[in-house]
Amino acid sequence: MPQLSEHFAQSEFEMDAPVVTEDIQILTELCLLILEPLRDLSSGAYPITSGNRPSAVNAATGGVCDSDHIYSPLHAAADGHPADRTQTRVVFEKACLSQIPFDQLILEYNKSFPNDVTHAIIHASHRSTPPRRMALIGSEHGASGYTHVAVAA
């Protein structure tokens, strides 16, 4: 499978569905502009836990119907975490204070382990439109609602 950036291969985003040719550009931008900088902040590997999802899989996982995980040429998202999972919140906070052009960055805690950062993931999305730089913290798929987090201007 092709490399999208220095540390991310297309196959890492195809757990649930293949990435079609039309979506490669936006996914490559997600890798270069957002995931590589998150990996740099984590000082090591940054495993992807979820990438492209077909609508049915997205619904089954509790994702919203217009999720950026349902790739299109206009948007893409990935969930991941630092290899050292104790650093997940630190990486999220550093990213919020950075100039990384994310559309959304969400620190999501596992419903079964609320507030346990070692079970948390970081959802990062990218869109072809100017980034909203919206940062949130909450339980998976908004199960307990999200709290907005301030980001650097």
Side-chain angles (χ1 to χ4, degrees), residues 20-117:
V20 298
T21 304
E22 295 81 16
D23 301 339
I24 296 294
Q25 179 62 39
I26 197 81
L27 180 57
T28 300
E29 291 172 10
L30 173 69
C31 292
L32 291 170
L33 299 173
I34 299 162
L35 298 178
E36 287 288 352
L38 286 175
R39 187 183 188 283
D40 291 345
L41 291 175
S42 67
S43 302
Y46 192 87
I48 300 302
T49 60
S50 182
N52 188 31
R53 299 180 192 150
S55 297
V57 170
N58 188 64
T61 63
V64 296
C65 63
D66 61 347
S67 172
D68 287 342
H69 280 286
I70 304 169
Y71 289 5
S72 86
L74 303 177
H75 59 79
D79 298 339
H81 58 78
D84 177 357
R85 301 222 36 190
T86 64
Q87 294 299 305
T88 304
R89 186 173 185 115
V90 171
V91 169
F92 173 81
E93 290 172 349
K94 285 180 179 180
C96 289
L97 298 174
S98 76
Q99 294 301 311
I100 297 171
F102 55 82
D103 187 66
Q104 275 193 334
L105 199 66
I106 307 173
L107 180 62
E108 288 188 313
Y109 289 98
N110 185 300
K111 292 180 281 197
S112 302
F113 303 95
N115 299 314
D116 181 351
V117 75

